[in-house]
C-alpha cells in the first residue's frame, strides 16, 4: 500500500511539473506565430472603391483604431474584458514603419481574412476577421487604406504594445487559431434579393450576429447560423466604463424586435433611436453608413430566422 501511494505521489509530481513547465512556456512564448502565405494582389485605388471602403470602415475599422485626434494610430480598447489583458489597437496609417505603409495589398488582405500579420503573428479574436466578406468589399477597404484620407495620414504616433494576459496566451495556444484562407471567390449578393443581402450583412460584412448571439465564446464565425443563440441577444458586452451591457435580441420574437415596423428598425439601426424615442446605448452605434435598402434587407432576413424567446434586461 505504501509503495502504491509512493508511486502515485511520484506520478502526481511529474504531472504537476509538466503542467507548470507548460504554463511557463506559454507565458514566456506568448501568442503563437504561424506560417504566412504570400498573396499576390494589387488593388486599383479608384474613387468608387475608396468611397465604399470608407463607408464600410466607418462601421468597423475606425471605431477601434481612431485615436482622440481622429487619426488611426490606435488606442486602448476599453471594451475588451480585462481578463484578456490590456489590449491596444494598432497604427494603420500610411506610415512605412509605425503603420502599414510598407505592407502589400496582399498582406492586408491576408490579415483581414485569417488574422495573421506579415510576420506570422496571430491577432486574437479581439481583432475581428472577415472570412465571409465579399472579395470586392475587402478590396474597397484596402483602396481606402491607400487613400489620402486625413485619418490615414502617415503618423509616427502609436499606442503601447498590447499586454495579453496568460488566459489570452493559453486560449491562443489551445483554442483560438487563424482562420482558413477562402478556397474560392466570395461574391457580393444580388442587391435585388433583400433576404440574401440582409444575410450577407448580418453574417458577413458587418457581422451583426457576433454581438447579438448568446456569447462570443460560442459564436461560429465560419457558419454563423450555428452560433449558440443566433441573433437571440444576451451577449455580455462592455461599455467604455467597463459595465456590462447585454446585446439585444434581434429575432422577431415578442421579446426581440417582433413589434418593430420596418421604419422603426431603420431608425434604430441607422440612427440609434428606439421605438420609445430614447437612444440605444454603446456598444451599439448608429450604422449610418448602411443604406435604407441594406437595412430593409436585414429586416427581411431577420424575419426568416428562428425566433428566440429571450427577454434581455
Amino acid at each position: 500500500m505504501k509503495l502504491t501511494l509512493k508511486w502515485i505521489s511520484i506520478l502526481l509530481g511529474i504531472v504537476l511539473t509538466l503542467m507548470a513547465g507548460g504554463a511557463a512556456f506559454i507565458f514566456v512564448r506568448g501568442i503563437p506565430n504561424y506560417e504566412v502565405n504570400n498573396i499576390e494582389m494589387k488593388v486599383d485605388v479608384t474613387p468608387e472603391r475608396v468611397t465604399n471602403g470608407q463607408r464600410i470602415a466607418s462601421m468597423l475599422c475606425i471605431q477601434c483604431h481612431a485615436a482622440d485626434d481622429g487619426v488611426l494610430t490606435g488606442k486602448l480598447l476599453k471594451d475588451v474584458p480585462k481578463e484578456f489583458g490590456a489590449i491596444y489597437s494598432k497604427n494603420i496609417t500610411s506610415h512605412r514603419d509605425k503603420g502599414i505603409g510598407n505592407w502589400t495589398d496582399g498582406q492586408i488582405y491576408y490579415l483581414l481574412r485569417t488574422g495573421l500579420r506579415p510576420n506570422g503573428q496571430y491577432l486574437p479574436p479581439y481583432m475581428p476577421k472577415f472570412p465571409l466578406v465579399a472579395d470586392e468589399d475587402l478590396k474597397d477597404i484596402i483602396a481606402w487604406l491607400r487613400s489620402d484620407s486625413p485619418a490615414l495620414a502617415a503618423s509616427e504616433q502609436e499606442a503601447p504594445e498590447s499586454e495579453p494576459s496568460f488566459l489570452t496566451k493559453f486560449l491562443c495556444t489551445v483554442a483560438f487559431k487563424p482562420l482558413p484562407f477562402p478556397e474560392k471567390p466570395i461574391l457580393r449578393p444580388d442587391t435585388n434579393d433583400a433576404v440574401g443581402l440582409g444575410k450577407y450583412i448580418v453574417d458577413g460584412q458587418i457581422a451583426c450576429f457576433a454581438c447579438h448571439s448568446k456569447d462570443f465564446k460560442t459564436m461560429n464565425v465560419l457558419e454563423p447560423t450555428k452560433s449558440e443563440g443566433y441573433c437571440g441577444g444576451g451577449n455580455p458586452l462592455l461599455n467604455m466604463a467597463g459595465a456590462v451591457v447585454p446585446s439585444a435580441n434581434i429575432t422577431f420574437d415578442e421579446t426581440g424586435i417582433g413589434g418593430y415596423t420596418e421604419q422603426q428598425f431603420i431608425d434604430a439601426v441607422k440612427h440609434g433611436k428606439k421605438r420609445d424615442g430614447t437612444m440605444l446605448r454603446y456598444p451599439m452605434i448608429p450604422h449610418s453608413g448602411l443604406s435604407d435598402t441594406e437595412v430593409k434587407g436585414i429586416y427581411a432576413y431577420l424575419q426568416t430566422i428562428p425566433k428566440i424567446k429571450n427577454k434581455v434586461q
Side-chain angles (χ1 to χ4, degrees):
M1 182 67 178
K2 290 183 178 180
L3 183 60
T4 301
L5 291 175
K6 179 181 178 180
W7 277 109
I8 291 175
S9 299
I10 292 172
L11 290 173
L12 182 59
I14 292 173
V15 170
L16 292 175
T17 300
L18 291 173
M19 291 176 62
F25 171 76
I26 291 172
F27 180 80
V28 173
R29 184 207 56 188
I31 295 171
N33 279 31
Y34 294 86
E35 182 179 350
V36 175
N37 293 328
N38 183 37
I39 303 299
E40 296 292 337
M41 176 183 291
K42 181 61 179 175
V43 175
D44 292 329
V45 182
T46 65
E48 294 76 18
R49 281 200 181 281
V50 171
T51 297
N52 189 51
Q54 182 172 16
R55 180 185 75 89
I56 299 171
S58 71
M59 298 178 283
L60 298 172
C61 325
I62 293 174
Q63 299 298 323
C64 288
H65 289 276
D68 291 340
D69 60 2
V71 182
L72 306 187
T73 52
K75 63 181 178 182
L76 175 66
L77 301 179
K78 297 180 181 179
D79 51 355
V80 173
K82 296 185 184 302
E83 292 81 4
F84 291 107
I87 307 303
Y88 295 85
S89 57
K90 291 288 188 179
N91 180 331
I92 59 170
T93 71
S94 57
H95 195 280
R96 296 186 66 83
D97 297 320
K98 303 297 185 181
I100 59 173
N102 213 26
W103 291 33
T104 67
D105 292 349
Q107 287 171 334
I108 298 173
Y109 187 86
Y110 196 78
L111 167 73
L112 295 174
R113 286 291 192 209
T114 67
L116 290 177
R117 293 168 62 86
N119 61 2
Q121 180 187 35
Y122 169 64
L123 295 176
Y126 39 72
M127 163 65 192
K129 287 77 177 176
F130 305 97
L132 304 180
V133 176
D135 299 347
E136 294 303 314
D137 280 345
L138 287 187
K139 289 178 181 178
D140 289 351
I141 292 174
I142 293 171
W144 167 72
L145 289 169
R146 301 301 195 200
S147 74
D148 58 2
S149 168
L152 296 164
S155 173
E156 292 187 351
Q157 179 181 333
E158 59 181 342
E161 287 293 322
S162 293
E163 299 175 6
S165 65
F166 174 76
L167 174 63
T168 299
K169 297 174 184 178
F170 176 75
L171 290 175
C172 287
T173 300
V174 301
F176 301 148
K177 305 291 182 182
L179 296 181
F181 192 81
E183 297 181 354
K184 58 184 180 180
I186 300 177
L187 305 178
R188 284 173 172 154
D190 180 353
T191 54
N192 293 316
D193 174 9
V195 172
L197 177 63
K199 178 176 175 58
Y200 170 67
I201 296 170
V202 170
D203 289 356
Q205 188 188 72
I206 307 300
C208 316
F209 85 94
C211 287
H212 286 282
S213 296
K214 184 173 182 178
D215 199 298
F216 287 128
K217 293 191 292 291
T218 54
M219 72 176 183
N220 188 327
V221 295
L222 296 177
E223 298 180 90
T225 56
K226 293 184 179 180
S227 299
E228 185 176 1
Y230 177 68
C231 292
N235 194 351
L237 309 177
L238 299 181
N239 62 20
M240 289 301 183
V244 173
V245 181
S247 63
N249 179 347
I250 57 171
T251 70
F252 265 78
D253 185 73
E254 61 182 7
T255 60
I257 60 170
Y260 271 72
T261 66
E262 185 179 71
Q263 185 57 51
Q264 288 171 335
F265 185 73
I266 292 173
D267 289 339
V269 173
K270 293 188 63 175
H271 310 297
K273 182 181 176 182
K274 294 194 288 187
R275 284 189 301 171
D276 61 7
T278 60
M279 302 302 292
L280 291 165
R281 298 180 294 170
Y282 184 89
M284 177 61 186
I285 59 171
H287 286 64
S288 56
L290 293 173
S291 68
D292 283 3
T293 298
E294 289 173 321
V295 182
K296 289 177 181 179
I298 297 172
Y299 185 83
Y301 171 63
L302 292 177
Q303 292 182 76
T304 70
I305 67 175
K307 298 177 182 179
I308 295 178
K309 188 169 292 297
N310 181 29
K311 186 173 179 58
V312 178
Q313 298 299 328

